[in-house]
Each structure stands twice: as structure tokens, then as C-alpha cells.
Amino acid sequence: MGITDFGRMGCAYSSLEFAAHRTARWASTRGSSSGHAATLATAQAEAQTNLTALDNTQLTVGVTWSPNNNPGSTVEVQLTYNFKTLLIPISSKALKLKSTSTQIIIQ
């Protein structure tokens, strides 16, 4: 992997980490008592909104509510991004970058 790939990967991971945190924070205010509870589809849209300078088609979003989406429960957002190197491919597969963020549901 070339040196520019390391820089690109660092930027991609920072963007992924930011998007995971912001999406979990967003979902924590959209629990069962909010009047407009978050769903997997709305969380995916929110994650894509927060993902900067990356290809949204390479993003996978997972959301887990534990034990449910009531206030006091937790919401966990897991983002996975398929990162492709530019210069020297390590393998034919993309590197999987992952970030997870958990928040307590407040509403």
C-alpha cells in the first residue's frame, strides 16, 4: 500500500468514526417516546449524510437497540466501509474499515 493510501485510509476512518458517532447521537434522541422513532432505514440515511468525501455505496450500516428503543436503553450504530487502495492492491478484496458508537436513548 502506498503512502498516499495510508493518508486516504486515515481520512476515511476519521469520516467513518464521525458518522458513527453522529448517527448514534441522532438515534439516541429518536427513541420510542420521541414521536418519530429511528428505524434502520432512517439511521442509514443519517449515516450517509454524515459520511464526508466517501462513496456511500461502499457503506454498510447496522443498528442495534438494547433491549429496545425506550428511553434508558442503548442504541449501537455499526458502520463498515469497503476501502479500496489506489496504488498497490494488497488483495483483490477491499479493506473493511469499521466503527461502532453506542449512546443511551434519552427520548
Side-chain angles (χ1 to χ4, degrees):
M1 190 165 18
I3 194 157
T4 57
D5 279 340
F6 284 116
R8 284 182 54 248
M9 187 169 44
C11 289
Y13 183 75
S14 290
S15 179
L16 191 67
E17 192 173 38
F18 175 81
H21 173 76
R22 295 300 299 168
T23 303
R25 191 170 190 76
W26 172 88
S28 74
T29 63
R30 286 163 179 82
S32 63
S33 67
S34 70
H36 33 332
T39 64
L40 177 58
T42 59
Q44 286 172 329
E46 183 65 19
Q48 289 176 348
T49 299
N50 287 302
L51 194 68
T52 55
L54 295 176
D55 180 2
N56 285 340
T57 64
Q58 299 302 310
L59 179 68
T60 303
V61 179
V63 181
T64 306
W65 291 269
S66 182
N68 52 41
N69 67 343
N70 293 333
S73 295
T74 60
V75 59
E76 180 180 272
V77 174
Q78 313 91 22
L79 301 184
T80 304
Y81 186 78
N82 295 319
F83 179 81
K84 297 180 182 167
T85 63
L86 289 176
L87 300 176
I88 304 170
I90 292 174
S91 73
S92 60
K93 295 182 179 180
L95 297 173
K96 291 199 181 290
L97 303 180
K98 296 181 180 184
S99 184
T100 302
S101 183
T102 304
Q103 297 280 326
I104 296 173
I105 298 170
I106 59 172
Q107 194 177 52

